[in-house]
Amino acid sequence: MASNFFAARTTTTRPTTKSQVIEPALQPWVEKYRPKTIDDVSAQEHTVAVLQKTLTSTNLPHMLFYGPPGTGKTSTILALSRQLFGPDNFRNRVLELNASDERGIAIVREKIKNFARQTPRAQAVASDGKTYPCPPYKIIILDEADSMTQDAQGALRRIMETYARITRFCLVCNYVTRIIEPLASRCSKFRFTPLDNDSAALRLSHIAHEERIVIDKPIIDALISTSHGDLRRAITYLQSASRLSSSTNPPTKIQPADIQEIAGVVPDSIINDFASSIGVEVEGGMDVDDEPHSKKGTFDHIKKKVKYLMREGYSATQIISQLHDLVVFHPTLDSRKKSNCALIFAEADKALCDGADEELWVLEVALRVNKVVS
Amino acid sequence: MSLFVDQESYFRPRTLDTLHYHHGLSERLKALAASGDFPHMLFYGPSGAGKKTRITCVLRQLFGAGVEKLKIDQRVFLSPSKRKLEINIVQSNYHIEITPSEAGSYDRLVIQELLKEIAQTQQVDLSAKQRFKVVIINEADSLSRDAQAALRRTMEKYMSNMRIILCANSTSRLIAPIKSRCLLMRVAAPNEEEMMTVLKYVAKRAGFDLPPEAGEKIVEDSNGNLRKAILILEALKMQTPDLNGPLSIAKPDWEVYCYKVADLLVSEQSPARVMEVRAKLYELLSHCIPPTIILKTVAERVVEKVDEALKADIMHWAAFYEVRMRTGSKKIYHLEAWVVKVMSLYKVLFRLLMQNPFD
Ligand SMILES: Nc1ncnc2c1ncn2[C@@H]1O[C@H](COP(=O)(O)OP(=O)(O)O)[C@@H](O)[C@H]1O
Ligand SMILES: [Mg+2]
């Protein structure tokens, strides 16, 4: 392999730093503001309360964390582990495996075997002077466990039994139904719910405050409405927006529209215009069109609008999801029409999941919605 | 012969400052590259809008001219079943570029191995302007779900010495966890005015003036695809050096062929005609024209020629059979089914009109 891109490493004399240290200023905020203790975890009160108890008792069940992305699952188990073992022991007591790692079951078995080999010894005082419970077991975190095959999960079940004495497993996943029953039934289950708006707003304000950026309510609202309860997304959007605004000279103030663009959302004016051209009139939306009313709803007119959206690069799923919201929450369309539109949206979603052509399907949705509402 | 499109002296800009349209976007990219706080990014937009050019300019801004020294290496990967996969990889000292579709169903494996290697390598060039290397993933929307899942945690974990730039036509096929880890950069196709400016510029560089009518015709014909527009300009220039008088923009053979299919479909609806059309579709497929392109091109031509009452239905069935084609295995079946469907729609309408001639 004559690739000096990789080989370069062997010819260097520069001492390589082992740990992945990043200057705090360049750290992604999602990492920087990952909850340090389970008390820092917002909104998941029930889970936190139960886990609090495990900190004082020495017993911990196997656990299954499930819920949508960005609700604190990974953060919670990492924080819990850190609180149980402290900084010194974290490395030899906690094994984190996730879908990014090679996870053929043979490899998992091998890793776990090696990891579980030495019986853990308790240690009283950590280097930071604090005492940690340091219970006599190790924790194995299988993050994104729902991407493991059924077979692998079956094998995992036996591994769990073999090492039951000295290990506790924590499975983390989005869909609990993708975890096979025998595995799930061995775990205490914790459900993580999408963050409510108030908790999300609080956390975002906290981060903004720490980063010394000024954000007002409309921006928080934009962050929350574009991230749908996924705090990771909200934080990433905030960081991106702040990067963009601070990188111009002079720095510009973050606008809600910036957040929408970063999130890939089609601007309201464009989606409203599209909706109106297919016969879904949007309340309060001005008729910005110069086109005579008679042209609206004709095939050529609709096709032209779709082509325009495609050329602008908006994604079909995004367009359809915004159109869906407009139709479903429309103040005057009757229920029958809404229901018929719902059928179309569902069909389009499935088609796009199957890899269908985006332009054909945006056009399909547009034409059919137009037919239903007119 | 080198093409206008690639010859940078004519057109292809190499720096963010010389990019033609979307100046706001270029400014943002420049500022980001200078900020030392460069995120993972996802560039998306229609083909020919200039995503790749923009990415190349960003690299140049990040690393300087050294990034233009490219090598192509062949790397060998071993599949779990010990099959050898040879993949070409374009790279400089500062970045590496992969097109996952080359790895077929092993894209996960290839991505995983490459990224791990890069992530664990420190930048050795002490004079390098950045501590990280950049990994460009082309056609990211064709990454398997498996490969995407493998990316997500890697993107968080190895932030210190690696940045990923994804390039895709649409974000629809990317899983949410990937999107939420990137800064999304939408690159819209240039509008007509912007295309015109670029065409005029290219012409000037090539030493001639572009007559406005010729420019308009090219813009109209290229549907927002700048690459296509410049290619047409070049072809026209060869055909009619003074670019005056009536211009006929030569369509690619396959497009002409698709139009022929459409015309056959519209002019007669009969079993014999189905067979004729079928043979033509086969011909197109055997020349490796993607079936979706065939269907769309034929359908768009057909709807130009039929009654308003039929248009929506024809496109409906095109959408319907296009998905079938993707999930099924025999492309021709679905193309054929669509043809038959369109013919029968035509007949039904015709019969209705005959029954109520004074409607
Ligand atoms: N409940 C929460 N409280 C505080 N921060 C959270 C919470 N949920 C998510 N976050 C933020 O989002 C990021 C991703 O959270 P993570 O725990 O990795 O989510 P997941 O549920 O997908 O595993 C964290 O780094 C943290 O900054
Ligand atoms: Mg997680």
Side-chain angles (χ1 to χ4, degrees):
Chain A
M1 206 185 330
S3 128
N4 81 348
F5 190 92
F6 300 110
R9 160 175 46 171
T10 55
T11 60
T12 177
T13 50
R14 180 177 167 182
T16 46
T17 33
K18 255 196 225 104
S19 56
Q20 308 257 340
V21 250
I22 313 179
E23 296 144 50
L26 300 185
Q27 219 180 350
W29 293 355
V30 281
E31 292 303 329
K32 194 167 167 189
Y33 296 99
R34 218 182 246 294
K36 305 279 178 300
T37 67
I38 53 176
D39 286 327
D40 287 343
V41 174
S42 322
Q44 317 294 353
E45 290 87 6
H46 174 70
T47 304
V48 170
V50 175
L51 291 177
Q52 256 327 327
K53 293 208 190 89
T54 66
L55 279 176
T56 49
S57 83
T58 48
N59 210 1
L60 189 72
H62 295 306
M63 290 172 292
L64 173 58
F65 287 5
Y66 66 100
T71 50
K73 301 179 298 296
T74 307
S75 307
T76 304
I77 185 61
L78 288 178
L80 179 72
S81 308
R82 207 161 269 123
Q83 281 176 279
L84 281 172
F85 299 115
D88 307 333
N89 286 320
F90 189 83
R91 266 173 183 280
N92 55 37
R93 289 297 190 86
V94 182
L95 176 67
E96 189 193 351
L97 297 170
N98 59 66
S100 311
D101 301 310
E102 185 46 70
R103 263 208 311 215
I105 191 63
I107 296 180
V108 171
R109 189 184 290 123
E110 201 55 28
K111 275 199 178 147
I112 294 180
K113 210 161 83 191
N114 288 337
F115 177 73
R117 189 169 291 143
Q118 316 94 340
T119 331
R121 261 176 300 124
Q123 170 231 34
V125 181
S127 58
D128 61 359
K130 296 194 189 115
T131 42
Y132 292 93
C134 229
Y137 48 72
K138 301 188 172 193
I139 293 184
I140 295 175
I141 305 171
L142 286 165
D143 208 343
E144 297 153 21
D146 37 7
S147 64
M148 291 178 87
T149 61
Q150 300 254 322
D151 285 351
Q153 292 188 32
L156 186 63
R157 169 184 161 200
R158 284 184 295 281
I159 299 176
M160 264 168 101
E161 275 161 8
T162 317
Y163 298 103
R165 207 176 48 81
I166 48 163
T167 56
R168 296 295 178 274
F169 281 78
C170 180
L171 307 181
V172 181
C173 65
N174 296 132
Y175 301 102
V176 69
T177 47
R178 297 225 185 113
I179 303 294
I180 60 171
E181 176 53 28
L183 209 50
S185 63
R186 283 179 164 68
C187 302
S188 308
K189 297 186 195 62
F190 294 93
R191 188 163 81 95
F192 285 69
T193 47
L195 264 74
D196 57 282
N197 293 355
D198 291 342
S199 311
L202 215 60
R203 189 77 189 162
L204 290 168
S205 310
H206 166 72
I207 293 176
H209 178 75
E210 294 284 311
E211 294 292 331
R212 298 200 175 74
I213 52 177
V214 188
I215 53 172
D216 45 21
K217 182 130 189 345
I219 294 171
I220 299 227
D221 289 345
L223 286 169
I224 289 175
S225 72
T226 49
S227 61
H228 306 284
D230 176 346
L231 199 53
R232 178 192 289 108
R233 250 160 86 180
I235 297 175
T236 312
Y237 294 159
L238 178 60
Q239 185 174 18
S240 300
S242 133
R243 267 183 184 126
L244 290 176
S245 78
S246 65
S247 60
T248 52
N249 192 13
T252 44
K253 195 172 161 298
I254 303 175
Q255 300 295 334
D258 297 336
I259 307 275
Q260 291 206 329
E261 176 68 31
I262 288 167
V265 173
V266 186
D268 289 341
S269 60
I270 293 186
I271 204 78
N272 289 351
D273 173 57
F274 182 58
S276 118
S277 74
I278 60 173
V280 180
E281 292 303 337
V282 184
E283 211 187 357
M286 295 173 299
D287 209 350
V288 280
D289 255 344
D290 314 331
E291 278 110 352
H293 220 71
S294 59
K295 265 182 76 183
K296 277 193 180 174
T298 61
F299 179 85
D300 286 337
H301 183 65
I302 293 177
K303 182 157 164 263
K304 203 176 106 203
K305 292 279 173 188
V306 171
K307 281 237 183 283
Y308 165 75
L309 284 178
M310 294 287 111
R311 278 171 64 151
E312 284 296 302
Y314 296 111
S315 91
T317 41
Q318 185 65 40
I319 297 168
I320 291 174
S321 113
Q322 288 181 245
L323 194 60
H324 166 272
D325 291 354
L326 277 183
V327 169
V328 170
F329 300 112
H330 197 279
T332 54
L333 281 180
D334 67 45
S335 312
R336 173 177 293 273
K337 285 180 178 165
K338 286 185 183 180
S339 312
N340 279 324
C341 289
L343 290 174
I344 305 167
F345 293 128
E347 237 177 273
D349 182 63
K350 168 78 171 85
L352 289 170
C353 264
D354 286 338
D357 184 81
E358 305 214 337
E359 184 179 345
L360 279 177
W361 275 88
V362 175
L363 181 63
E364 166 77 356
V365 168
L367 291 169
R368 279 174 64 188
V369 169
N370 179 55
K371 197 166 160 193
V372 168
V373 300
S374 55
Chain B
M1 189 194 77
S2 67
L3 298 168
F4 284 5
V5 186
D6 297 321
Q7 232 175 321
E8 72 208 24
S9 58
Y10 285 137
F11 172 60
R12 179 158 254 181
R14 285 158 63 188
T15 62
L16 288 169
D17 290 321
T18 49
L19 280 171
H20 280 265
Y21 46 93
H22 303 333
H23 292 291
L25 184 59
S26 305
E27 282 303 313
R28 289 178 151 202
L29 289 171
K30 208 167 134 190
L32 276 177
S35 70
D37 180 24
F38 194 77
H40 298 306
M41 297 227 251
L42 165 56
F43 284 78
Y44 68 103
S47 21
K51 299 182 291 294
K52 205 52 203 299
T53 308
R54 231 155 262 269
I55 293 175
T56 318
C57 296
V58 169
L59 284 179
R60 160 99 186 214
Q61 185 79 31
L62 280 170
F63 296 104
V67 82
E68 289 168 356
K69 251 190 247 148
L70 295 178
K71 306 187 261 59
I72 300 183
D73 273 327
Q74 198 169 58
R75 300 248 346 230
V76 179
F77 296 88
L78 222 49
S79 80
S81 54
K82 301 284 176 275
R83 219 172 58 107
K84 269 192 189 165
L85 295 166
E86 292 183 353
I87 309 246
N88 288 327
I89 288 171
V90 178
Q91 60 187 41
S92 74
N93 282 336
Y94 309 104
H95 85 290
I96 182 166
E97 195 174 324
I98 36 185
T99 306
S101 54
E102 284 179 27
S105 53
Y106 294 109
D107 58 348
R108 175 191 171 117
L109 182 103
V110 171
I111 295 252
Q112 217 160 22
E113 296 216 346
L114 276 177
L115 294 197
K116 282 248 156 88
E117 263 181 83
I118 295 164
Q120 284 154 12
T121 320
Q122 299 276 326
Q123 176 64 270
V124 286
D125 182 352
L126 288 175
S127 60
K129 285 165 118 187
Q130 311 291 341
R131 292 178 51 196
F132 54 82
K133 284 182 175 172
V134 171
V135 179
I136 297 176
I137 303 182
N138 290 319
E139 297 169 25
D141 32 7
S142 69
L143 278 174
S144 68
R145 294 204 137 227
D146 222 22
Q148 293 188 37
L151 261 183
R152 54 193 261 195
R153 186 75 184 136
T154 317
M155 291 174 83
E156 287 181 347
K157 238 174 157 175
Y158 301 120
M159 194 68 186
S160 63
N161 46 8
M162 175 174 74
R163 295 292 186 281
I164 293 180
I165 298 184
L166 301 160
C167 184
N169 280 332
S170 161
T171 59
S172 292
R173 256 165 251 163
L174 290 168
I175 60 174
I178 300 266
K179 282 185 267 192
S180 71
R181 284 167 174 78
C182 294
L183 176 50
L184 266 57
M185 285 283 165
R186 184 172 56 86
V187 184
N191 64 28
E192 298 182 355
E193 225 170 288
E194 291 162 337
M195 295 216 2
M196 200 62 156
T197 317
V198 176
L199 286 176
K200 277 190 194 142
Y201 172 82
V202 173
K204 201 140 248 126
R205 297 298 298 254
F208 63 95
D209 276 325
L210 179 67
E213 311 79 59
E216 273 159 32
K217 189 126 178 34
I218 297 175
V219 168
E220 189 193 310
D221 234 66
S222 47
N223 253 323
N225 187 331
L226 192 54
R227 192 185 320 118
K228 193 168 161 194
I230 298 174
L231 285 171
I232 296 178
L233 174 66
E234 179 160 27
L236 277 184
K237 178 75 188 156
M238 306 245 279
Q239 259 172 42
T240 351
D242 63 355
L243 291 178
N244 269 324
L247 294 172
S248 68
I249 295 180
K251 300 264 181 203
D253 290 346
W254 64 266
E255 217 172 316
V256 177
Y257 213 78
C258 282
Y259 289 172
K260 220 180 273 169
V261 173
D263 295 346
L264 284 174
L265 234 170
V266 177
S267 57
E268 185 188 319
Q269 296 78 36
S270 67
R273 193 39 75 84
V274 175
M275 294 313 284
E276 216 175 313
V277 167
R278 173 179 213 274
K280 290 227 156 20
L281 292 173
Y282 243 129
E283 186 74 17
L284 282 162
L285 285 174
S286 69
H287 281 82
C288 295
I289 309 299
T292 297
I293 303 278
I294 300 177
L295 182 56
K296 278 175 80 173
T297 315
V298 176
E300 286 194 3
R301 176 78 168 192
V302 169
V303 291
E304 277 173 22
K305 310 202 145 202
V306 300
D307 192 88
E308 175 82 15
L310 281 178
K311 293 179 193 231
D313 278 344
I314 289 176
M315 289 317 288
H316 164 71
W317 291 108
F320 179 90
Y321 283 113
E322 199 267 340
V323 201
R324 288 280 182 105
M325 207 154 63
R326 300 230 182 209
T327 44
S329 68
K330 295 264 189 270
K331 311 296 176 203
I332 189 78
Y333 290 4
H334 306 282
L335 289 174
E336 214 170 34
W338 177 76
V339 167
V340 173
K341 195 85 206 176
V342 172
M343 285 191 180
S344 80
L345 285 173
Y346 216 94
K347 285 237 163 214
V348 170
L349 182 76
F350 195 66
R351 202 172 308 136
L352 278 179
L353 290 178
M354 292 310 285
Q355 281 165 1
N356 315 304
F358 304 109
D359 233 22

